[in-house]
Structures are given as structure tokens and as C-alpha cells.
Amino acid sequence: MNSVILQLAAKYLRILFLSFALIALVRGHNFPGGGFIGGLLAALYIVYDSLAFTTQQIKKELIVRPEHYIGSGLVCVLLSFLPSVLSGSPLMQGKWLSLDIPLIGVTKLGTPLLFDVGVFLTVMGVTLLFLFTLSTKK
Amino acid sequence: MEILLSALTGLLYAGGVYLILRRSILKFIIGIIFMSNATNLLVFLSAGIVPGQPAFVDDTMKDAELMADPLPQALVLTAIVIGFGIVVFTIALKYKFFKTTSTDDQDQLTNTDA
Amino acid sequence: MTETGLPILLPFALIIVLIFMRSTVSSRWTGIVGALLNMIVAVYLFLQLRHDDVLVLQVGGWEAPYGITLALDYLSALMLLVTALIVLVIAIYAFRFIGDRPGYSKFHVFFFSLTMGVNGAFITGDVFNFYVWLEVILLSSFVLITMGAKKDQLEGGIKYMTLNLIASLLFLAGIGLLYGKTGTLNMAHLARILINDQQSILMNTSAMMFFVALGIKAAVFPLFFWLPASYHTPNITVTSLFAGLLTKVGVYALIRFFTLFFVQDVYFWHNLLLIIAGLTMVIGGMAATIYFETRRILSYHIISQIGYMIMGLGIYTPLAIAGSIFFMIHNIIAKTNTFLVMGIVSKIKGTFYLKDIGGLYKERPFIAILFIIPAFALAGIPPLSGFFGKFILIKAGIEDKHYIVTAVAVLTSLLTLYSMIKIWNEAFLKKQPESTHLPSKVKLKISEVLPSVILALASVLLGLLAAPFFEWTLAAANQLMDPNVYIEAVLNKIE
């Protein structure tokens, strides 16, 4: 499809979709949301983009291949285990860090967030891989 | 509400079984989707339904009895994720199979038996 | 005990490394090194069991029954050990038999995700977590069985997928019903709740769901049709891996579930298990006799031998359960080995059809020896491992007065022997048929033969050292028959 309106809209909706995905990711620990939903939302934006542009153009925008999104997501998941193992507590126990960031206030960052980021990247990568595999015409 | 959802579960199972018994592979996949949704509903219903209450506690929640059981919801979420992956794989497999053999008929699948 | 999680974490880390790896040569080496590490982990965990009866890890620090528990007892540790052995030999075997064939570039990623799933299924102490591992195994095996994307493979893949998806759904439905009735999914907690449960009729609905689902996974009699329709289609490396591990996960779960918490309606279940065991043995063994394709013959024998393991569970004495476990471990080793040898044979002769093969005994006596060890082990010839497995089961059957199923087990041995002798006569003794054209003389590499040699040695050692090994399986069986140790270990702090 080659529609100017859709392509223009996609450019602006990109910001909306991605920020929505990120919000869902960050608030996920105590509220509805989380890595899986965030990842799906992010993938949704790329599905939308793929309607406006060609698959080749999107692949260029993504910088790395979808497999590597999956890989880096799994790395995040594995890294989120490290603090619990190093401090000698049971595997996968959540470890939290309180940070006083100017403007935002006291923010608690913890391994569950890192885990969620890993899920986010993995789900996004998996969905993109599905999309590219099924939409590529040979 | 529970009776309604139970009836829906049964309906989805019936539809799923009917579709699975059809000859077309695509209908089979749709049948699997039906049945997996029915199963998800079944798991979701297993703890009973608490109307209007979230499955997690914050500071305002005083009585844990009012809260919805979070475990079935977590289980269903996991099952949905797994089902999502499996359905995509089956569709990809069906697509590839259709491209190599151009058939959607299960009765044509006789090469690997006997 | 964080190290209890290692059988899952190690394959997980290997998957990450392999995803980023581009060259097939380096992923093959990573596969071998990773499989060796996995072996070390399994041996280490097994040795740890000398100090504790059950190793328990409450994941995330959430105490049972609220969190997910990983629990490792003797049965789990033995299964981990034999899985690690199979993973190691398959990693070596894949070096040449997968090699750098087109379409197989990501073989090792899914190989290790299958390993992770199998390891996870063996050590988890939570029914839903077990379901998740089943799905990990299922998805990896979908990919492995269709890898290469030949027409037959896709067709076999569809058949494999069909029945296994239905099994997964039934399993999940069983979990839903079980949770609805007991309010827990932790296996030890379930055992504590259900041990005095009088309403067995309510439990039987979910027990039946689990039985059918796991029966499909384990390929028992009326539910096995996916196995012979799909196992002969993929690369022989994949078939060998599946033959060793996949069905045994189902058997392991049957043993675990029906000794730990589905123990109410004993009369009904044990008779059902015995009937199904007998039918599975005979029908698998008889179906194998009509084929002349080695992989199909051996596939039907997988089914036949699942019957023996179910028989031990049906007799339900410590001796019988120990026999089941012994037989399962022997079968994983010997069955994988027969497939590995058939892969070598087809590499030499270019085919799996017995009618086109012949004269191997004169040509390559070493391969003949490699075949005869697992084949005789499967048939139950002393002093190889299969003899002791069958001997323990039959002894348990006679002691507990289950004469019919014991007689069936003995007769099925003859069917197995017949099939093995058929392969032996056709492939090794008979002269090479003249009409077929042979591939040029193949020189076998060490990495192709070494896996069979390792497994053949394992079979022989399992036979020669049967007594100490039987002690371990008996320890595992005693733990299963008296689940209090397991329950106490998992639920130590909770009333």
C-alpha cells in the first residue's frame, strides 16, 4: 500500500504508540500493564507501520534483527536474576533500589522492572519475527 | 454470571470439537483457538468470580476476603501467552504446508502413515 | 538452594549465547561444551542428594504453597542425570549429522530450549509450572520436527501438533478443575490435602484429564497415533533425541502425579493402568513387526516399551516403581542408541529401508557390535541393562499376583526380540541386494560413532552394575511411596 495520509499519520502515531507502550511497561509492577502488554503495544505500532510502509523499510528502522531483540530481552531476564543470586537470597527474589531523581521524586527501581524490560523486548521481537516471516513473499 | 460463563465455556468446547472434526486444516486451527479459549475460561472460573474487585491489594484494601483470587488470573495470562505462541506457530506451519502441497484437506495427509 | 535452579538457568544462558552466534561451527562447539556443563550440573546435584533427601528452591523467596517450588528428589535427580547423558551424546552426534545443512542453522537454540523444558519438567514441584515446561518442550519440538521443511516433515509435524495440542488443552483443563477443588497447585500441598480426601469421585474428573493428556504425551495405547506418524520424518538426530526424552516426560509425570496426589481411587486407577500397560506393550510390539523401515519399527517399539513403565506404576509396590524407573532409564539409553546406530547405517547405505540394506556384518563388524548391544538390551538379554529392568518388573508382578500383565510382558519381550532379529538379519547378515546402487564408500568420523559407543558402554555398565544402580532406583521408589519426606521438605515452615 502506498498512501501518503497513512504514512504521515504513522509518523506521528509512532510517538503515541511507543510512549503508551513504555507507560504500560513502567507501571506494570503495581497496576495493570507490564512487559507483555507493553511489548504487544510496541509490536502493534510496527504492525501499523508495516501497513503504511514496506517491510524492508521497517527492517531498516529497527536497526537490529528481531532475533536480536529476543536475545537482548533474554539477557535482561538473566541479568535480573543476578542481584538475588549475588546477595545469597533465593533465586529471582526482587531487589529494590530507591533513587532520588530530581523532578520525578523518589523512585524505586528493582529487578522486576528489569525482568519486565526483558519480557517487553522478547515479546516485541517474537511478534516482529512472526510478522516478517508471514508477510515476506518469496 | 458464573452460569452464563459456564454455558459459554461449554459452547466454545462444542464448537471447537466440531471444528476439529472437519477436514480442513484451517478449520482445525480455528477449532483449537476455540478450545483454548474455552479452557482459559474454565481456568478463570475455577476460583469463582468476585464482581468488581481487583486481584491485587493496595493500601485502601482492608479485607482480603473481598479480593478476587489472583492465581487463576495469573494462570490464564500465562495460558493466553502460550496459546498465542502456539496459534501463530500452527498458522505458520499451515501456511508453509499449503505452499508446498497446495492442499488444505486432512484426508490428503496420508504420506507418513503406514 | 540456588543451585537447584541450575538445570534451567544453564540451558537458558546457552540459548542466549546461541541466538547471537552466527557461525554454525562455533554453535556446534558451544553445543558440546554446554552439554558437558549440563552433565556436570546433573552429577553435582545428584551428589548433593547424599546430604539432603530433597533439594528445595522456593523461587523468588515466595514460600510454598504460594510461590513456585523447585524440588529435586531421587527420581528427579536420576532423570536429570540420564537426560544430561542423552543431551551430551546428541550434541556430539549433531556435529556431523546436523552439520551445516541448510535450514538447520538454529538447531542448537531449540535443542537447548528442549533441554531446558525437559530439565524444568523434571525438577518442578508445581503442577502449573509443569504445564509451562510441557509447552516449552512442545514448542521446541514443533520447531525441531519441522526443521528442514520437507513435505513429509510438514505433514508429520501437523499430525504431531494436532494430538499434542489437544493434550495440552486437556492438561490445562485438568489444572483448572484441580484448582477449583483444592485451591492449590503445589504438588506437595496437593498431596497433603488429598491424602485424606474421601471424595475421590470429584478428583477423578481432573485425574482423568491429566491421565489422557499425559497418556497422549507418553504415547500409551489408544492415544499413541501421533508418534509413528511423525517420528520417522525429521533428521535422525532429532528423532533420536525425541525417542529418548519426549515420551518419558509423560511417563515421569504419570509416576509423579499418581504416586504423590492422585492416590484416592486406587482400585480403579491401578486396574486401568495395568490394562493400558498390557495393551500398549502388545499392540506396539505387534505393529512393529509389519514394517521394513527401521525408524518405524523402532518408533513402534518406543510405544511397546512405554507399556512396561506404566505396568510398574500399575502394580504399585516399591519394587515395581523401582523397576519402572530402572526400565525407563535403561530404555532412554538403549532406545536413543538404536536410533543413533540406524543413522550411521543410513549414512553408509543411503537409506532406512531394510530391503535395500545388507551385508553390514561383513563390511563393518564394529557397527554390527554397536547395534547388537542396544538391540539385545531392549530385548532383555542378560547381562545388559534391559534384562534387569524387565526382571525387576516381572518379579514385582508375580509377587503382587498380577499374572496376566506379567505374562503379557514376557511375551512382548519375544516380539521385541523378533523385531531386533529382523533388523539384524536384514541389515547385517543378509547379502547386499544387487539392484540398489550404493553411495560411494563412506568413511565414518569419530564424532559419528562416539555417541553410540558412549551409550553402548552405558547400557553394558547399567547391566554389570545393576545392583548398586538398583539401590538408587529403589531409594527413588521409596521416596515416592512414602511422600511425607517430600511434603515435609517442600512445606517445611507451613502447617
Side-chain angles (χ1 to χ4, degrees):
Chain A
M1 208 192 304
N2 201 0
S3 149
V4 183
I5 301 172
L6 200 60
Q7 289 179 355
L8 196 67
K11 269 184 192 166
Y12 291 103
L13 283 173
R14 176 177 309 178
I15 305 160
L16 196 68
F17 270 120
L18 279 185
S19 47
F20 197 57
L22 283 177
I23 289 168
L25 165 70
V26 173
R27 80 199 285 263
H29 191 64
N30 285 329
F31 298 98
F36 183 73
I37 294 167
L40 278 186
L41 284 171
L44 196 67
Y45 137 69
I46 293 160
V47 173
Y48 186 76
D49 242 20
S50 76
L51 291 176
F53 303 96
T54 60
T55 316
Q56 264 62 38
Q57 283 170 301
I58 298 164
K59 274 189 183 164
K60 250 182 237 160
E61 274 177 36
L62 286 172
I63 306 164
V64 294
R65 295 187 302 167
E67 291 97 313
H68 292 175
Y69 277 98
I70 302 176
S72 35
L74 295 181
V75 168
C76 288
V77 169
L78 201 62
L79 284 180
S80 78
F81 297 165
L82 270 186
S84 62
V85 173
L86 291 182
S87 65
S89 32
L91 185 70
M92 285 174 79
Q93 191 169 48
K95 294 285 165 206
W96 294 89
L97 194 69
S98 277
L99 287 180
D100 196 0
I101 305 172
L103 294 177
I104 304 176
V106 179
T107 317
K108 285 177 101 181
L109 289 178
T111 50
L113 184 66
L114 190 58
F115 189 89
D116 258 358
V117 171
V119 175
F120 180 94
L121 288 173
T122 311
V123 170
M124 197 172 112
V126 168
T127 320
L128 291 179
L129 203 56
F130 290 158
L131 182 75
F132 290 156
T133 319
L134 288 178
S135 70
T136 315
K137 292 200 181 80
K138 278 168 201 161
Chain B
M1 194 61 190
E2 268 166 30
I3 293 174
L4 207 65
L5 282 173
S6 315
L8 180 64
T9 310
L11 211 66
L12 279 172
Y13 268 121
V17 170
Y18 175 73
L19 283 168
I20 279 178
L21 297 175
R22 300 293 296 269
R23 271 169 63 179
S24 148
I25 298 172
L26 191 65
K27 283 179 185 141
F28 165 78
I29 293 172
I30 297 171
I32 284 288
I33 297 174
F34 267 46
M35 280 181 66
S36 103
N37 282 336
T39 314
N40 290 345
L41 266 180
L42 178 77
V43 175
F44 181 67
L45 284 174
S46 63
I49 295 181
V50 181
Q53 290 299 329
F56 33 81
V57 194
D58 57 8
D59 303 335
T60 57
M61 179 78 79
K62 291 284 178 283
D63 192 2
E65 291 289 309
L66 288 175
M67 182 180 133
D69 190 346
L71 194 70
Q73 302 195 6
L75 302 185
V76 165
L77 184 65
T78 316
I80 290 173
V81 174
I82 292 170
F84 170 70
I86 282 177
V87 164
V88 172
F89 182 82
T90 51
I91 291 172
L93 181 60
K94 192 244 172 285
Y95 175 68
K96 190 111 194 186
F97 184 71
F98 187 74
K99 280 216 314 201
T100 40
T101 61
S102 27
T103 177
D104 185 40
D105 187 352
Q106 289 188 16
D107 282 6
Q108 305 289 318
L109 302 180
T110 50
N111 289 326
T112 66
D113 297 326
Chain C
M1 297 287 275
T2 302
E3 57 264 36
T4 314
L6 275 178
I8 298 168
L9 287 182
L10 177 72
F12 187 76
L14 287 168
I15 291 169
I16 298 175
V17 173
L18 287 163
I19 283 179
F20 287 110
M21 207 168 265
R22 291 215 171 168
S23 108
T24 50
V25 179
S26 48
S27 41
R28 276 183 267 167
W29 282 108
T30 317
I32 293 178
V33 173
L36 271 173
L37 288 175
N38 188 36
M39 188 79 200
I40 292 169
V41 168
V43 171
Y44 170 75
L45 286 176
F46 187 78
L47 293 178
Q48 284 292 307
L49 277 184
R50 284 190 307 189
H51 311 300
D52 302 281
D53 288 325
V54 182
L55 294 180
V56 176
L57 170 67
Q58 313 283 8
V59 179
W62 303 99
E63 289 292 337
Y66 305 107
I68 291 171
T69 309
L70 301 182
L72 186 101
D73 62 355
Y74 265 107
L75 174 60
S76 308
L78 283 171
M79 295 308 293
L80 279 187
L81 211 56
V82 68
T83 305
L85 180 65
I86 298 300
V87 167
L88 179 62
V89 297
I90 296 290
I92 302 171
Y93 200 70
F95 203 85
R96 297 257 170 224
F97 277 84
I98 294 288
D100 46 8
R101 276 161 223 222
Y104 283 90
S105 59
K106 290 283 173 236
F107 169 80
H108 283 91
V109 174
F110 294 99
F111 173 58
F112 278 109
S113 68
L114 187 86
T115 310
M116 178 170 78
V118 173
N119 281 350
F122 286 150
I123 60 174
T124 186
D126 185 277
V127 182
F128 190 79
N129 197 232
F130 183 83
Y131 165 76
V132 174
W133 292 123
L134 271 189
E135 296 296 311
V136 171
I137 296 169
L138 190 65
L139 275 174
S140 331
S141 58
F142 280 163
V143 178
L144 286 175
I145 209 165
T146 52
M147 215 171 238
K150 285 195 216 111
K151 197 179 151 199
D152 270 4
Q153 275 183 293
L154 294 172
E155 193 181 318
I158 286 180
K159 288 169 183 167
Y160 177 82
M161 176 193 83
T162 310
L163 274 166
N164 276 291
L165 278 186
I166 293 170
S168 299
L169 291 176
L170 286 173
F171 194 89
L172 188 59
I175 288 176
L177 294 177
L178 192 64
Y179 185 76
K181 272 169 275 188
T182 59
T184 184
L185 288 175
N186 185 297
M187 291 185 195
H189 199 211
L190 277 172
R192 180 171 280 180
I193 291 174
L194 294 179
I195 212 149
N196 297 317
D197 189 71
Q198 299 303 316
Q199 291 174 301
S200 60
I201 198 85
L202 274 177
M203 294 318 302
N204 273 356
T205 46
S206 47
M208 193 46 106
M209 294 269 187
F210 283 119
F211 179 72
V212 175
L214 294 172
I216 293 176
K217 300 273 174 201
V220 298
F221 157 58
L223 310 164
F224 63 72
F225 295 97
W226 57 271
L227 194 150
S230 62
Y231 266 28
H232 60 95
T233 56
N235 186 299
I236 186 72
T237 319
V238 176
T239 312
S240 315
L241 180 67
F242 284 12
L245 298 180
L246 283 195
T247 46
K248 277 61 177 191
V249 176
V251 177
Y252 163 84
L254 280 174
I255 292 179
R256 173 73 73 198
F257 289 8
F258 282 86
T259 54
L260 192 56
F261 50 85
F262 287 138
V263 287
Q264 301 87 30
D265 200 353
V266 173
Y267 181 77
F268 167 71
W269 280 110
H270 292 171
N271 281 323
L272 181 72
L273 284 171
L274 284 175
I275 293 167
I276 283 186
L279 287 170
T280 310
M281 281 185 241
V282 176
I283 289 174
M286 285 190 348
T289 57
I290 64 167
Y291 289 102
F292 277 91
E293 216 262 32
T294 49
R295 286 176 299 181
R296 290 188 196 230
I297 298 175
L298 294 173
S299 296
Y300 274 106
H301 275 292
I302 300 176
I303 298 164
S304 167
Q305 272 132 8
I306 294 293
Y308 286 91
M309 304 165 204
I310 306 291
M311 169 185 158
L313 180 60
I315 297 170
Y316 205 70
T317 57
L319 187 67
I321 303 273
S324 271
I325 299 167
F326 193 106
F327 192 86
M328 181 151 59
I329 289 165
H330 134 74
N331 193 247
I332 291 174
I333 292 170
K335 184 50 83 183
T336 310
N337 200 0
T338 48
F339 275 102
L340 294 180
V341 176
M342 282 307 137
I344 299 172
V345 168
S346 86
K347 173 139 193 175
I348 299 167
K349 296 290 182 184
T351 175
F352 286 98
Y353 278 95
L354 283 176
K355 288 185 175 164
D356 299 339
I357 309 174
L360 270 171
Y361 179 65
K362 273 194 183 148
E363 244 176 76
R364 304 197 186 236
F366 185 62
I367 303 296
I369 295 169
L370 277 187
F371 174 74
I372 207 80
I373 291 173
F376 274 9
L378 284 177
I381 309 279
L384 295 162
S385 54
F387 169 73
F388 294 99
K390 285 183 182 173
F391 174 73
I392 300 164
L393 280 170
I394 288 166
K395 183 163 182 278
I398 292 173
E399 272 180 9
D400 215 42
K401 301 195 175 58
H402 293 289
Y403 298 117
I404 299 174
V405 76
T406 312
V408 169
V410 175
L411 289 176
T412 308
S413 289
L414 295 178
L415 282 175
T416 315
L417 190 61
Y418 166 76
S419 285
M420 292 304 148
I421 288 177
K422 181 163 95 180
I423 298 179
W424 174 252
N425 277 342
E426 294 278 335
F428 292 90
L429 287 187
K430 167 187 88 178
K431 272 191 188 142
Q432 173 71 40
E434 278 166 18
S435 56
T436 53
H437 70 285
L438 282 173
S440 51
K441 184 92 175 153
V442 183
K443 201 167 176 337
L444 290 173
K445 304 275 195 317
I446 287 181
S447 68
E448 290 164 334
V449 186
L450 184 65
S452 295
V453 175
I454 296 173
L455 288 185
L457 279 178
S459 267
V460 173
L461 282 180
L462 207 57
L464 293 179
L465 303 174
F469 192 75
F470 174 67
E471 290 298 318
W472 290 341
T473 59
L474 197 64
N478 283 328
Q479 267 188 344
L480 289 172
M481 298 302 284
D482 178 24
N484 278 323
V485 182
Y486 182 90
I487 298 172
E488 291 300 322
V490 175
L491 301 173
N492 49 357
K493 284 171 200 137
I494 300 119
E495 170 41 42

